[in-house]
Amino acid sequence: MPHPARITRFALALVLGGGLATGLVAQDNDPDPEDLEQAINEEAPIVAFADPGRFVAEDGEALYNSICAGCHMPDGQGAVGAGAYPALAGNPMIEFPEYPVQVVIHGQNAMPAFGGYLDDAQVAAVVNYIRTNLGNSYTEDPATPEMASETR
Amino acid sequence: MDDSISRPGPSRRQLLGMIGTLAGSAAMYTAMTKLGHAQESSYRGPIQLQGDPNGATVLVLGAGLAGMTAALELRNAGYNVQILEYREKAGGRNWSLRRGDTYTELGGFTQNIQFDEGHYFNPGPWRIPYHHHAVLDYCRRLGVQLEPFIQVNHNAYLHSTKAFDGKPQRFRHIMNDFHGHVAELLSKSVQQNALNAAATQEDTEILLEALREWGALDENMRYVQSEHTSEFRGFAKDPGGGLTAVPEPSQPLAASDILKSGLWSRLANGNLYEFQMPMFQPVGGMDQIGLAFQRELQDIITFNAKVTELRQDENGVTASWIDARNGGETRTATADWCVCTIPFSVMTQIPNNLSSGMNAAISALPYAASVKFGLQMSRRFWEEDEAIFGGITYTDLPISLISYPSTGYNQGGKGVLLGGYSWGTYAYEFTAMSPEERVRRAVEFGAQIHPQYNEAFETGASVGWHRVPWTLGCYGVWTEETRAEHYRTAAEIDGRVVMAGEHISYIPAWMEGAILSALDATTRLHQRVVNG
């Protein structure tokens, strides 16, 4: 088995992305200088490319950064194109854990189901991460592995 | 079969596994067919829309291949057609990135493509099977020149980080040695009358002869180092001329090493119906197909139009739209009928009064994650150093594969590799990164197969399909259950609206599926119009 590649990098890299390399320039995403400073000071763990069949990170933040951030964006603000990805930051739909647990496991509309890629503890971890970070502070009634198990 | 194969080497269980793999291409084909990936195209030539539509109007939503096929055929049949397109150009997922292009993905990350003039990268479709008759016919009719796309290259690599010390193996070595060892083992079983029940004496003799030829076995039915086996797998030193002419045969890999490597699992890829040679690509980039359609339809496409609502009543269809870049006032487009090719990933968010059944179908289709990379190299080291001309190296690294350009061979200069094409977890993980980080990783992974990456890499681009603003994913993923429940409803004319696109086909994610669905939809729509 491959040794899980545990890679730590600055959250800033996710936010600013391209600005650092020829031909890749970040636009429309100018972060507030204070946010930048904060991002520089926070190392966001990313555990990627360990297994083609499932995600291996157990930490909610690591799971968010390596999966959810693809669509809901590193800062949880979502994105708008021809269609949109909803913001998770400040989203009242995640006040209670059951709904995000359901969506993560079974998917919704175009969002694929992640139940096959994550175990119950991982589902709870990532749901609790988005409910208590990204500008959210739904600390009561945390999601649990049992809740995830019952939702499957 | 008895257990008499007890000499060192593969056990009976391993032999069964190997034979299973030989049958694997068929089994895999069956599995793929169930998923709808390997159906033969039903295209039987240009459609004939007989009858006068009496000036009926059609609004086409989306200027991808499905939308433009519908528009082209309906206009030819006498309809008054207009197209709304979200992007600034036509083609949809039929798309190539080249010098001067700017691509901003969701989240605002922008890539200014720096490839040298004449080089490109296809983030979407990149190869055309010989049996995708509709794509081929439209290429012919629209003057899109094709060239061979090399899918199977015996000199490309099969690579596993967990086998042969991570050293890539030539496809011809794994394939011929696998065949040879299987033939040798199977011939022993045959000679021990293991197949008595299934074969006559005459059949057995023919089978043995076939195994000898197919597996390059010697007169004793052995697969061994020899000039004969080297004629299949290649020589240690190729035959030459003059005083250095004498060839040196190569040493086959051990059967157990091949079995343990798992590399045999890649051998059947090129046997799949959709990947059989010959395959094709347009000269100059896959987007030449979309551009050819666009040339025909330029005057009826409104670009930068973001559809915000779709309504229909007994009199017609109305789409509301805004300028996709600048917003501003809402405008409307009306028509008698509508062909809607907007991906369901986007349609879920467009307010409409389609039937509840249609909306249930729209909501039932998740869109797949997929990621691709284009990497420009300062020299074509795969050709110059490794004699790989086109084709694909498969790997268990997160990039999944490296495809070498099927054009511009043997002339030196630069080249743009397809530096990876991944699905599933790896695609999600790549997509969550910035474009710069993705490319950096793809170069790092690729250098494990080609160390020349380290000195030759110049510039790269990547597309994670979930971040593509106009699709929110790669393609619509049906399951047997969702197809059974929703597919017919999704494909049927809903009042005055009919859906088309790869998602309304049994060839999902292929251009052929998009075109066939458009032809099927326009044919039914036309019948409705002329017959009432």
Side-chain angles (χ1 to χ4, degrees), chain B residues 256-314:
Chain B
S256 60
D257 288 345
I258 295 178
L259 287 176
K260 285 181 208 134
S261 77
L263 294 180
W264 41 265
S265 67
R266 302 289 195 172
L267 292 174
N269 260 29
N271 294 348
L272 287 168
Y273 187 41
E274 59 189 3
F275 299 138
Q276 288 170 9
M277 294 291 283
M279 301 192 80
F280 298 97
Q281 64 181 14
V283 175
M286 190 56 83
D287 67 347
Q288 297 306 306
I289 300 176
L291 290 171
F293 273 100
Q294 183 176 340
R295 279 194 292 275
E296 302 289 321
L297 299 164
Q298 188 80 45
D299 54 325
I300 60 170
I301 306 176
T302 302
F303 292 104
N304 300 305
K306 173 176 170 171
V307 174
T308 55
E309 193 168 342
L310 181 61
R311 300 278 165 194
Q312 60 175 337
D313 58 28
E314 63 274 18

Side-chain angles (χ1 to χ4, degrees), chain B residues 15 40 103 171 206 408 445 449 478 499 524 528:
Chain B
L15 171 62
E40 187 187 9
Y103 165 53
F171 184 95
I206 294 171
F445 288 128
I449 296 172
W478 293 99
M499 301 289 175
R524 284 182 287 121
R528 175 77 60 90

